[in-house]
Amino acid sequence: MIKESTLEVRMDSDLKEQVESLYEQMGTSFAEAVRIFAKQSVREKAMPFTMHLEPPEVKRTLGIGNGKYMFPDDIDGCNDEIAEIFGVKEI
């Protein structure tokens, strides 16, 4: 038989509404996100994110992460052309 436990967390009600809305848009729930966090923490034996005392430097991307640009599966076949564009000998 599976044992169930309840976790109670106190937080600002505005923050709770925002995070519930965020996870709903992602097709899940805040409770499921907490379960995922716990499972990943146990699997990695660490917090599943990097903690910083100061904000990390912002890395800019070309929109790859949010799907603005698509790359062909045979992108490596373009290495010579890419090297020529950037003036390097090899990629």
Side-chain angles (χ1 to χ4, degrees):
M1 180 175 191
I2 297 175
K3 294 182 180 180
E4 295 280 331
S5 294
T6 302
L7 173 67
E8 187 174 323
V9 178
R10 295 193 186 282
M11 70 174 56
D12 178 89
S13 59
D14 289 336
L15 175 61
K16 181 178 180 272
E17 287 178 21
Q18 291 174 19
V19 76
E20 286 176 333
S21 175
L22 171 68
Y23 286 117
E24 183 180 326
Q25 292 173 42
M26 297 169 79
T28 191
S29 67
F30 185 27
E32 184 61 24
V34 171
R35 285 188 284 275
I36 292 168
F37 174 88
K39 288 177 184 179
Q40 193 168 349
S41 295
V42 169
R43 183 176 37 246
E44 295 180 11
K45 294 183 174 59
M47 287 197 175
F49 53 83
T50 304
M51 296 174 56
H52 302 273
L53 293 177
E54 295 183 19
E57 290 182 31
V58 175
K59 294 181 181 179
R60 299 187 185 270
T61 64
L62 296 173
I64 296 167
N66 59 13
K68 288 185 181 175
Y69 301 99
M70 300 298 291
F71 294 102
D73 292 335
D74 62 344
I75 188 71
D76 289 335
C78 303
N79 283 349
D80 291 340
E81 184 179 341
I82 294 168
E84 185 177 322
I85 291 169
F86 291 99
V88 294
K89 293 183 181 187
E90 285 186 52
I91 294 184

